[in-house]
């Protein structure tokens, strides 16, 4: 029977989120994480656990059908040409969000990309960096490093760096300051362009639809509250991303109604405080485990 071969990072930032997503999609695996190859017990899916940098070429060559990889790695490999150029994003997965940024010593004179002309930049993303600057008419020397890029300016290996940033703490700790965003990235599901095998695509469709449900429900909440009847419209207007809340009567009360709503945007404390200020009471925010629409 046909099985879909899916490449996932064996360990690291994409591995956690990737395995978590697959488990929420209902896939069950018999073995621990240390196996190179894992077979899902309840869907025709086989995992190949590899380094993230190898995932685009494994999918491009046909060794795997699909892969979960950072968009940053995908784009870097695609710029290198060859087979990865034939890959496409099947679904954006909403985790491992990070940005690729240009940064330079805080005390130095590099403040914008115009100051980079003729300078040396250390990065693990040489093609993305060079192309981004070339498109803006700036020529630089690129030093490729596979890790610890943030130490390059201190070691006088480079004048500036182009590196992944999430919180900015690593830059800060190394006396660096970001001044330009080259790319905003997240984990993506990739495949070869073109029609593909019908059976594989049918399995992929199940995975994609379930993933969409998992991603949507991650930020979606179910809100329950009691609202004074005369404040109902104001309270409905405050519910973030709610389509059509259910309004039900409360036994023995005609001044209060119960409101139930699926909110498709993040629910902040500020929102709850605003609801309370409008007279809402007994406010409950519940997570939604699964959604299928
Ligand atoms: P491997 O051993 O598989 O080559 P790695 O060291 O290249 O692992 P990780 O550090 O695990 O990779 O990062 C994998 C991916 O996670 C990156 O390519 C990027 O898409 C994303 N990522 C990297 N840094 C961050 C971050 N600080 N916050 C969120 N996501 C990140
Ligand atoms: Zn890597």
């Amino acid at each position: 029977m046909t099985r879909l071969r899916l490449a996932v990072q064996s360990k690291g930032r994409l591995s956690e989120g990737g395995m978590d997503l697959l488990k929420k999609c209902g896939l069950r695996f018999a073995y621990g994480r240390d196996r190179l190859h894992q077979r899902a017990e309840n869907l025709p899916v086989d995992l190949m656990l590899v380094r993230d940098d190898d995932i685009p070429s494994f999918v491009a060559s046909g060794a795997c059908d699909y892969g979960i990889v950072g968009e940053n790695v995908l784009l870097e490999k695609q710029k290198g040409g060859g087979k990865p150029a034939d890959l496409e994003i099947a679904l954006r997965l909403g985790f491992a969000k990070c940005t690729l940024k240009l940064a330079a010593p805080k005390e130095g004179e590099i403040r914008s990309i115009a100051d980079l002309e003729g300078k040396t930049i250390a990065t693990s993303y040489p093609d993305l960096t060079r192309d981004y600057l070339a498109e803006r008419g700036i020529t630089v020397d690129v030093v490729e490093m596979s890790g610890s890029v943030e130490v390059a300016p201190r070691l006088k290996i480079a004048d500036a760096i182009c590196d992944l940033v999430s919180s900015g703490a690593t830059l800060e700790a190394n006396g660096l300051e970001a001044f330009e965003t080259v790319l905003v990235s997240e984990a993506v599901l990739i495949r070869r362009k073109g029609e593909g095998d019908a059976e594989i695509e049918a399995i992929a469709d199940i995975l994609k639809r379930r993933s969409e449900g998992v991603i949507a429900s991650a930020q979606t909440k179910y809100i329950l509250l009691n609202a004074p009847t005369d404040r109902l419209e104001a309270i409905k207007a405050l519910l973030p991303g709610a389509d059509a809340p259910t309004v039900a009567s409360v036994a023995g009360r005609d001044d209060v109604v119960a409101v139930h709503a699926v909110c498709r945007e993040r629910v902040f404390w500020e929102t709850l405080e605003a609801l309370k200020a409008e007279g809402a009471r007994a406010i409950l925010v519940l997570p939604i485990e699964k959604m299928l629409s």
Side-chain angles (χ1 to χ4, degrees), residues 9 51-53 73:
Q9 188 192 27
R51 283 200 60 185
D52 68 339
D53 312 73
V73 170

Side-chain angles (χ1 to χ4, degrees), residues 9-15 50-53 69-73 95-98 125 146 164-167 185-187:
Q9 188 192 27
S10 54
K11 60 177 197 296
R13 291 187 164 99
L14 286 167
S15 152
V50 295
R51 283 200 60 185
D52 68 339
D53 312 73
V69 72
E71 202 178 356
N72 51 313
V73 170
F95 66 88
K97 289 188 178 173
C98 56
Y125 301 89
S146 55
L164 289 180
V165 177
S166 53
S167 73
S185 174
E186 67 186 280

